[in-house]
Amino acid sequence: MMNEMLSEKIGFDSFDLQQPLRDAIDKLGFEHCTPIQASSLLYTLRGHDVTGRAQTGTGKTAAFLITIINDLLSNPIEEKRYISEPRSLIVAPTRELAIQIASDAAQLTACCDLHTVTLVGGEDYQKQHRALDAKPVDLVVATPGRLLDFVQADNLYLGLVELLVLDEADRMLDMGFIPQVRQIVARTPKKDCRQTLLFSATFTPEISEMAQRWAMDPVMVEVEPEKVAAEAVEQKVYLVTTDEKYHLLYNLLRDDGAEKVMVFSNRRDQVRKLADNLYRNGINCGLLSGEIPQNKRIRTLGEFKSGKLPVLVATDVAGRGLHIEDVSHVVNYTLPEEPEDYVHRIGRTGRAGAVGTSISFACEEDSFLLPGIEEKLGQKLECIHPDGALLTKAPDFERVSRFRPKGASRPQRGKRPARRR
């Protein structure tokens, strides 16, 4: 393995890209590569296998999509092609990430005729099957479970995959998907007959072993996660009591500078209660967690991206892989138990050259997690007590519940719902 680090700015025009792809990149306004793009494209465009260590928000998605699209355009197939036989495959751990990758692919293939199909759970299987049957597919973006559903039903054949991407391999390991990924990789051509790109935020011995098993002499490219977090995001920690946290959040969200805010908490019940309290306090917000049906998650994300919803309350299901423009603030209502998740959360802001703000609440229940986060970042975090005005008690609820748990009783008419914190 080689280790490649580039610091100087490299333009996309320095690479020999096919014109339709070049046109799409120009249309998107991309001029210079991010470090992970410059480091990886140097090798992937020449056909080398690559393992990349990089956070979300570093541009790695565009790096592997540009590689795939340029390869497909450079090597058109003249003979007859059959349906459900993709030439390239991207496997991602979550539905949201897979959908986002497919959306990015649509933008980068806007000037050429390449067919991309997204296969994720929680959506209509037959609709996805019809998309595969519509015409020969060039790129499939999928989550492991739904991909195996199609393969095992003989509705998808992976034996002609020329380029395989495994994105967020560490996340797939954490979520227990590696046995499924092994089955998927086994259905593709042998590693010396395909190009393999593997990306991960961390490289544990298990990830390194997978990279060696599935890739041919891979080149290692990396972007240090602490640099990604520290340079683009202003980080602060408010020291508060548990009872003060909700009032502090309410007042922060009422500030004029809080234009598009993601609020993270660790558990589904926490984010549901928090979103419900904010809504009842007159703050329009969306809820995103694993228990929300897929169609609602997609609609909520769309409304947040468009600005219709200024606040998104989420678990770590939204911490990785989502490309949302102009997020002004990330609030860690509860500190994540894993330092890596802190880096992923704050990576939702400070993207594409913008400066974002991360605000974390540390109370008596979770302040012990701070040293681990600081060690991960390689820096001390500014810990301060909030100004008294920020702790002003939130007003009484003005609306009825919107995000009640299933089975919860509806408040009686004419009575103000009991206020719970």
Side-chain angles (χ1 to χ4, degrees), residues 2-21:
M2 294 176 61
N3 190 17
E4 183 70 22
M5 296 292 293
L6 297 180
S7 58
E8 62 185 51
K9 285 190 175 182
I10 294 179
F12 284 101
D13 55 6
S14 64
F15 297 106
D16 185 19
L17 301 178
Q18 292 291 315
Q19 193 58 47
L21 176 57

Side-chain angles (χ1 to χ4, degrees), residues 225-277:
E226 59 268 21
K227 293 180 181 177
V228 174
E231 291 180 0
V233 182
E234 177 191 356
Q235 302 171 71
K236 65 176 69 173
V237 178
Y238 280 130
L239 301 173
V240 291
T241 67
T242 301
D243 291 339
E244 292 170 335
K245 287 169 64 174
Y246 181 77
H247 307 297
L248 175 58
L249 177 64
Y250 174 84
N251 289 305
L252 287 172
L253 294 179
R254 284 300 188 191
D255 186 87
D256 291 338
E259 298 172 355
K260 185 181 284 189
V261 184
M262 296 189 73
V263 181
F264 285 100
S265 197
N266 295 343
R267 303 197 316 264
R268 296 175 178 182
D269 59 326
Q270 291 173 340
V271 297
R272 180 175 285 278
K273 180 178 180 181
L274 188 55
D276 197 51
N277 284 349

